[in-house]
Amino acid sequence: MTFAPPLELPGWRHTYSGKVRDLYVPADTRDEAAPARLLVVASDRVSAFDHVLSPGIPDKGVLLTTLSLWWFDQLAGADGGRGIPNHLASDDVLEGDGTAELIPDAVQGRAMLVRSLDMQPIECVVRGYLTGSGWAEYRAEGTVCGIPLPEGLEDGDRLPEPLYTPAFKAPMGEHDENITFERSVELVGAETAAALRDASLEIYRRASATAEAHGLILADTKFEFGFDAEGVLTLADEVLTSDSSRYWDAEAWRTGTTPAERMASFDKQIVRNWLADNWDKQGEPPALPAEIVERTRERYATLLRLLTAS
Ligand SMILES: N#Cc1c(N)ncnc1-c1cnn(Cc2cccc(F)c2)c1
């Protein structure tokens, strides 16, 4: 599946594309390894089963960027200075030479101007509930990422406590590799490994409580961190969006009697389910029907509305 080349953005140079997002450095950057800031642009592209699907989901980029920005703000909140530092830079940032790096009109609402960090090669996954690949491993081995769990758990059950299950970030196009905490110590050192774990569990605890207060369950999520110029561990990438997290309806989870009823999702599960019923995983996936596209867009919009309702 090929998708449209990234946009030409005035003042910016495209440097990298993930499945659904594109990364830009300031056009006058001489050393791409050390730009002061980056532009992270979210597209309307949707991916599943390692494929970028067609068509995109209208407004997905805006909806998920809006949610990320809301969460960065919630987590950085003034709670006695214990906020979580993040990589956002204001969009009227003035460089030493007085040039302001602005977010181009073409991507307003679906782009984040961020400070360039020394990114850590760890995908910091936190699981509060048993589902997805965790449920598959549990059924086979009674563990999740090698961590033993009590017997008798069912798909969608809440875990006895949130689990930190790091993965080693693979190069683009390859799968991240689940690793033990001890392996993460070998990769980034004991102090940083512990800081990544503690920050991830604390953010999950806060976000899970906020989600619950809005009638939602944050089943699992993943974070990325980097060190800023002052050596502060800083929350990066997108955060707590439908692409990085699973959200369920709390009432449906409490009253449902089947996994499908209990895990009424606010992410792209509708897309995954339709593909599972309409594609044999061979060759390119079929185009998504308009109804699936609209229902997925509605899920993204509803999640944003529910979470940000005061
Ligand atoms: N966020 C962030 C970030 C930062 N603040 N500093 C340095 N590097 C990154 C960075 C590098 N790759 N990515 C993943 C990524 C994101 C968006 C689009 C893509 F194509 C790929 C993130």
Side-chain angles (χ1 to χ4, degrees), residues 16-18 21-23 38 40 87 114-117 119 236-237:
Y16 181 73
S17 281
R21 290 176 300 157
D22 304 303
L23 210 53
L38 299 165
V40 175
H87 65 159
V114 303
R115 292 179 291 134
S116 185
L117 303 176
M119 297 299 286
D237 201 41

Side-chain angles (χ1 to χ4, degrees), residues 215-217 219 246-254 256 258-267 269-270 273 299 303 306:
L216 295 162
I217 284 174
R246 284 189 177 93
Y247 286 95
W248 300 334
D249 178 284
E251 186 55 27
W253 181 81
R254 275 192 289 272
T258 66
E261 285 177 352
R262 296 178 71 201
M263 294 179 271
S265 296
F266 287 90
D267 47 47
Q269 195 59 42
I270 293 171
N273 292 348
R299 292 278 82 186
L303 176 66
L306 290 174

Side-chain angles (χ1 to χ4, degrees), residues 10-12 24-29 35-39 89-104 108 112-116:
W12 296 93
Y24 295 78
V25 296
D28 61 358
T29 299
R37 286 169 190 81
L38 299 165
L39 191 69
S90 64
D91 67 359
D92 59 352
V93 172
L94 293 182
E95 285 299 317
D97 61 5
T99 57
E101 293 154 355
L102 298 174
I103 295 179
Q108 279 288 341
M112 295 190 292
L113 182 65
V114 303
R115 292 179 291 134
S116 185

